[in-house]
């Protein structure tokens, strides 16, 4: 046990600290009497879950989907639409979100995966934009103005999602469960097959794999997890709009994965955390360090940071931490001699 | 006479107006090494692609173990026992050597829609994978990332991946391509050790290798087979000398 702790490395420590900070966040928010922290934390945890699901197909399977936010939207509307009609039962909302996302993934994935490369990216985007415009056109559910969810999903007496702390912990535990699930999948026979197809699809076919079917199942698993995350997000924001499934949202999710380190287990969590923190704090930081009013242009600096990470930090934050670890070991070895 | 494992009849394939393969007839006997030789552009790789199912022929028929496989996709042929190696090394570079071979074992171990149990430590998969690596003398490098292997070792890995699928028929597309003498000798040894056990179709440019290994040789020129026979017959065949070997001294 002690041995495994000392073998955790820099990356392991950072991940442990991020998870510990998240676990203690509600206590911190209560202590400072500032619910803002809890809000950011809940959003972070839910988006991290969506990013982990995207990473399963993008990082491990090499399927670059620019339509993953579509599943978030579908999950959210699976809460919003029944709620609009007076159905508040969480045991209907969540299974509905999961089933709807799985079905959407199955149908669109079956078509998207007929294509490769740029075409795959474009067609996944096209499908999520179809969902986007589909919801924009439905006046009944607010069109592009969106839909307010008056009451969060009800689970009888045993879970009260109206309590923000409960919602946070449900989301946090879900994130941990999803990470464990993805960890098992990635290391299973199935995970090896989609990783092989990412590296060399032609060879995988020639040794006997129908790669299409494996990729489709991977796509459905990822979409389903993301739909579940969407249902949590709908509960959290209490307001849903087609904008949630816009392709730029999907782009942000890809960025979280790349920023954190695609193909690594916890990378998307680190990426989502870094992304949200930059989004929240870049603007005041610019105001403080440059000049008052510079914060308005935070998107510009944000873009520069994104470019720098892609150019220079191979493997994203995870890769950066691993290089730090190598550096530390080399210095340690040097001082031992 | 040995029974036939593969029978190709009147196979044709053209790209646009260019005829790549023109009424090719070929058969491979159980356990033999059957070499296909011919000048560049004769259609050798096109032929192997048709046999592996990566491209569908325009007409003709391919029978494997008495069954028509002419229009089966690649993975379906692999499952029946046809394995190929590629002229240009085709492996998953980011994975360790053993995992490349593991994937081949996995492909033959029923469906892989298993999502829970770790695959990399599964002895049922590891043992046959290691065995295939031993057959090609690559077991010492099992846990190195494939990218860092030498060219010769990549070629050995190609063969190991084909072998791990425990195929009846190996389609070898220039297994010695780009190899030095030493590496080439090792590869000849590896292939000799498989002789009789596996049936092989071998495409190779190096005539020394061909005459050392092959039981029979088929000569392909401009997409058509002009002769088939034992190495001695091919050496002394006038058509072959004229069309292909030319002035080359063999």
């Amino acid at each position: 046990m002690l041995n495994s702790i000392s073998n955790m490395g820099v990356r392991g420590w950072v991940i442990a600290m991020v998870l510990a900070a998240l676990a203690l966040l509600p206590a911190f928010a209560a202590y400072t009497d500032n619910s803002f922290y809890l809000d950011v934390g809940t959003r972070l945890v839910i988006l991290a879950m969506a990013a982990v699901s995207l990473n399963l197909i993008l990082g491990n399977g090499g399927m670059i989907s620019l339509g993953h936010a579509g599943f978030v939207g579908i999950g959210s509307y699976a809460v919003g639409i029944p709620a609009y009609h007076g159905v508040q039962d969480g045991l209907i909302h969540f299974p509905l979100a999961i089933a709807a996302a799985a079905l959407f993934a199955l149908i669109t994935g079956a078509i998207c995966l007929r294509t490769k490369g740029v075409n795959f990216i474009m067609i996944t985007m096209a499908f999520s934009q179809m969902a986007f415009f589909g919801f924009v056109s439905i006046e009944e559910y607010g069109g592009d103005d969106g839909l307010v969810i008056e009451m969060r999903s009800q689970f009888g007496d045993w879970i009260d999602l109206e309590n923000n702390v409960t919602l946070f912990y449900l989301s946090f535990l879900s994130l941990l469960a999803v990470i464990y699930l993805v960890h098992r999948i990635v290391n299973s026979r199935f995970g090896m097959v989609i990783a092989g197809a990412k590296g060399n699809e032609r060879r995988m076919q020639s040794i006997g794999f129908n790669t299409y079917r494996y990729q489709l199942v991977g796509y459905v698993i990822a979409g389903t997890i993301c739909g579940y995350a969407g249902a949590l997000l709908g509960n959290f924001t209490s307001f849903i709009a087609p904008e949630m499934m816009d392709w730029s949202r999907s782009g942000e999710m890809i960025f979280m994965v790349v920023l954190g380190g695609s193909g690594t287990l916890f990378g998307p969590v680190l990426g989502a955390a870094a992304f949200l923190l930059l989004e929240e704090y870049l603007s005041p930081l610019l105001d403080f360090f440059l000049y008052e009013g510079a914060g308005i242009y935070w998107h510009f600096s944000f873009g520069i940071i994104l470019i720098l990470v892609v150019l220079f930090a191979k493997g994203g934050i995870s890769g950066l931490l691993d290089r730090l670890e190598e550096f530390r070991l080399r210095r340690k070895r040097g001082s031992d001699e | 006479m040995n029974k036939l494992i593969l029978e190709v009849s009147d196979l044709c394939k053209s790209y646009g107006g260019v005829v790549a393969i023109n009424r090719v007839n070929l058969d491979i006997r159980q356990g033999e090494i059957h070499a296909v030789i011919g000048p560049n552009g004769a259609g050798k790789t096109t032929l192997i692609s048709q046999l592996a199912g990566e491209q569908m022929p325009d007409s003709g028929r391919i029978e494997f173990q008495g069954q028509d496989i002419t229009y089966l996709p690649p993975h379906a042929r692999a499952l029946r026992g046809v394995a190929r190696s590629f002229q240009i090394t085709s492996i998953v570079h980011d994975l360790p050597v053993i995992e490349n071979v593991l994937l081949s074992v996995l492909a033959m171990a029923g469906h892989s829609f298993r999502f829970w149990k770790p695959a990399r430590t599964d002895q049922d998969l590891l043992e046959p994978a290691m065995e295939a690596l031993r057959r090609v003398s690559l077991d010492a490098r099992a846990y190195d990332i494939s990218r860092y292997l030498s060219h010769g070792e990549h070629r050995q890995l190609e063969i190991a991946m084909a072998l791990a699928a425990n195929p009846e028929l190996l389609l070898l597309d220039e297994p010695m391509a780009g190899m030095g003498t030493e590496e080439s000798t090792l590869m000849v040894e590896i292939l000799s050790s498989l002789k009789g056990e596996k049936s092989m179709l071998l495409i190779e440019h190096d005539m020394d290798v061909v005459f050392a290994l092959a039981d029979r040789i088929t000569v392909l020129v401009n997409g058509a087979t002009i002769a088939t026979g034992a190495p001695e017959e091919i050496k002394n065949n006038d058509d072959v000398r004229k069309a292909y070997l030319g002035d080359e001294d063999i």
Side-chain angles (χ1 to χ4, degrees), chain A residues 38 43 52 72 82 85 138 152 201 239 257 271 279 318 323:
Chain A
L38 195 60
R43 216 155 80 79
V52 168
V72 174
H85 292 292
I138 305 177
R152 286 178 179 166
E201 187 165 3
F239 168 74
V257 172
E279 208 176 49
S318 299
R323 278 199 288 284

Side-chain angles (χ1 to χ4, degrees), chain A residues 42 78 84 89 159 195 224 259 318 334:
Chain A
T42 311
Y84 176 79
D89 192 344
I159 302 177
T224 307
L259 182 66
S318 299

Side-chain angles (χ1 to χ4, degrees), chain B residues 86-140:
Chain B
F86 287 82
Q87 179 180 2
I88 294 161
T89 303
S90 180
I91 56 178
V92 186
H93 283 96
D94 300 329
L95 295 182
V97 171
I98 184 84
E99 285 183 22
N100 270 286
V101 188
L102 212 58
L103 284 167
S104 279
V105 180
L106 206 54
M108 296 301 135
H111 71 82
S112 287
F113 290 105
R114 296 168 192 217
F115 304 93
W116 205 249
K117 197 177 159 201
R120 287 174 183 81
T121 50
D122 191 334
Q123 285 306 321
D124 295 344
L125 302 173
L126 273 177
E127 269 166 30
M130 272 316 265
E131 178 55 29
L133 283 178
R134 268 192 290 275
R135 292 298 295 265
V136 301
S137 320
L138 208 58
D139 42 326

Side-chain angles (χ1 to χ4, degrees), chain B residues 31-77:
Chain B
E32 78 168 340
I33 297 185
H34 192 128
V36 174
I37 62 173
N40 282 328
K44 301 186 296 289
T45 295
T46 306
L47 174 63
I48 255 191
S49 302
Q50 316 277 313
L51 299 182
E54 285 167 358
Q55 294 163 0
M56 296 302 159
D58 299 336
S59 61
R61 187 178 163 87
I62 305 170
E63 265 185 39
F64 176 69
Q65 292 182 322
Q67 287 175 313
D68 184 1
I69 61 161
T70 317
Y71 297 105
L72 282 186
H75 62 87
R77 296 182 199 212

Side-chain angles (χ1 to χ4, degrees), chain A:
Chain A
M1 181 70 196
L2 268 176
N3 195 31
S4 73
I5 287 177
S6 66
N7 281 341
M8 260 170 55
V10 175
R11 188 191 339 169
W13 279 107
V14 170
I15 289 162
M17 266 160 22
V18 168
L19 293 182
L22 284 172
L24 295 174
L25 197 66
F28 181 70
Y31 178 73
T32 55
D33 199 21
N34 190 342
S35 66
F36 172 74
Y37 295 119
L38 195 60
D39 274 7
V40 174
T42 311
R43 216 155 80 79
L44 193 165
V45 165
I46 294 172
L47 287 179
M49 204 184 319
V52 168
S53 76
L54 176 61
N55 187 36
L56 175 65
I57 51 171
L58 193 157
N60 296 102
M63 294 167 255
I64 303 171
S65 162
L66 196 50
H68 215 58
F71 300 112
V72 174
I74 286 167
S76 298
Y77 273 95
V79 175
I81 292 175
Y84 176 79
H85 292 292
V87 178
Q88 310 292 352
D89 192 344
L91 292 178
I92 291 175
H93 293 171
F94 279 82
L96 182 65
I98 288 169
L103 187 66
F104 188 69
L106 183 67
I107 294 168
T108 60
I111 299 165
C112 295
L113 285 164
R114 297 271 171 207
T115 65
K116 300 286 164 221
V118 175
N119 295 328
F120 178 79
I121 299 175
M122 298 314 288
I123 197 166
T124 51
M125 183 177 120
F127 274 120
S128 78
Q129 288 301 91
M130 274 169 60
F132 171 83
F133 286 113
F135 281 108
V136 165
S137 67
I138 305 177
E139 295 285 336
E140 180 72 9
Y141 304 126
D144 56 2
D145 290 335
L147 188 63
V148 173
I149 300 177
E150 306 277 356
M151 197 196 278
R152 286 178 179 166
S153 302
Q154 300 297 306
F155 288 93
D157 292 333
W158 50 290
I159 302 177
D160 178 16
L161 291 188
E162 296 295 344
N163 183 329
N164 286 331
V165 174
T166 309
L167 179 61
F168 172 80
Y169 276 120
L170 175 67
S171 307
F172 184 57
L173 292 178
S174 300
L175 172 65
L176 294 181
V178 162
I179 290 173
Y180 183 65
L181 178 70
V182 168
H183 166 71
R184 296 300 299 222
I185 292 175
V186 165
N187 289 301
S188 70
R189 292 184 178 205
F190 175 81
M192 283 198 71
V193 175
I194 60 167
K198 173 196 177 191
N200 192 339
E201 187 165 3
R202 183 177 175 214
R203 185 57 190 251
M204 290 297 284
Q205 289 171 348
S206 89
I207 62 178
F209 287 109
N210 183 343
T211 50
Y212 173 80
R213 273 199 281 174
Y214 289 92
Q215 288 169 330
L216 181 57
V217 170
Y219 192 80
V220 171
I221 292 172
T224 307
I225 294 173
C226 198
Y228 173 76
L232 285 171
L233 193 66
N235 268 297
F236 166 65
T237 57
S238 302
F239 168 74
I240 54 178
E243 193 271 333
M244 296 168 83
M245 47 184 107
D246 190 34
W247 70 273
S248 60
R249 292 274 164 270
S250 301
E252 287 176 5
M253 285 164 71
I254 292 182
F255 193 74
M256 289 176 197
V257 172
V258 174
L259 182 66
S262 89
T264 62
L265 189 57
F266 285 95
V269 181
L270 299 178
F275 191 94
L276 282 188
L277 292 180
L278 282 175
E279 208 176 49
E280 293 292 343
Y281 294 106
L282 197 56
S283 173
L285 278 175
L286 289 173
D287 275 339
F288 183 76
F289 283 109
L290 287 177
Y291 57 91
E292 196 62 36
I296 303 169
Y297 306 110
W298 68 275
H299 274 110
F300 184 71
S301 325
F302 196 54
I304 291 178
I305 294 174
L306 303 195
I307 291 168
L308 288 178
V309 167
V310 172
L311 282 181
F312 299 111
K314 198 163 169 275
I317 298 173
S318 299
L320 217 57
L321 294 175
D322 287 348
R323 278 199 288 284
L324 213 66
E325 171 75 7
E326 274 170 40
F327 178 71
R328 191 181 69 94
L329 285 177
R330 223 176 303 137
R331 274 197 36 188
K332 196 174 149 216
R333 234 175 286 136
S335 66
D336 283 348
E337 281 165 13

